[in-house]
Amino acid sequence: MKVSTYAGTITWDGDTDGNWNTSANWVGDPTVPTDADDLIFTGTIQTTTNNDIAANTDFAGIQFTNTTAGQSFTLGGNIIDLTGNITSSAAGGTIDDTISANV
């Protein structure tokens, strides 16, 4: 049985490395993704990321908010379980975001 946890919205800033389980890479509460969180990927640092969060973690949604034309995110690593949507908004130009993990 899964235990319910606080659901939050956290934003990737990629300050340290490409790993999702590094708290310095995220802004918000909680400091690393947990069940039912909405994830926002924005910025230009560490745009190739590795989901090293425990398998079977359910995320509410993923939003790509690209800030630079031509800048794109690549999400890889463990299975990404979604209960919501994947959305994207760009500052202009062509953006190609990629999810190479199983969803």
Side-chain angles (χ1 to χ4, degrees), residues 48-85:
T48 298
T49 72
N50 174 44
N51 174 13
D52 59 344
I53 301 296
N56 298 319
T57 301
D58 296 324
F59 302 112
I62 294 175
Q63 177 182 349
F64 295 104
T65 307
N66 303 78
T67 57
T68 303
Q71 172 257 330
S72 301
F73 279 94
T74 300
L75 310 184
N78 290 336
I79 293 172
I80 298 171
D81 292 337
L82 286 178
T83 59
N85 296 319

Side-chain angles (χ1 to χ4, degrees), residues 11-18 24-26 42 45-47:
T11 301
W12 176 264
D13 67 6
D15 272 351
T16 302
D17 57 31
N25 289 329
W26 298 94
T42 189
I45 302 172
Q46 306 293 344
T47 59

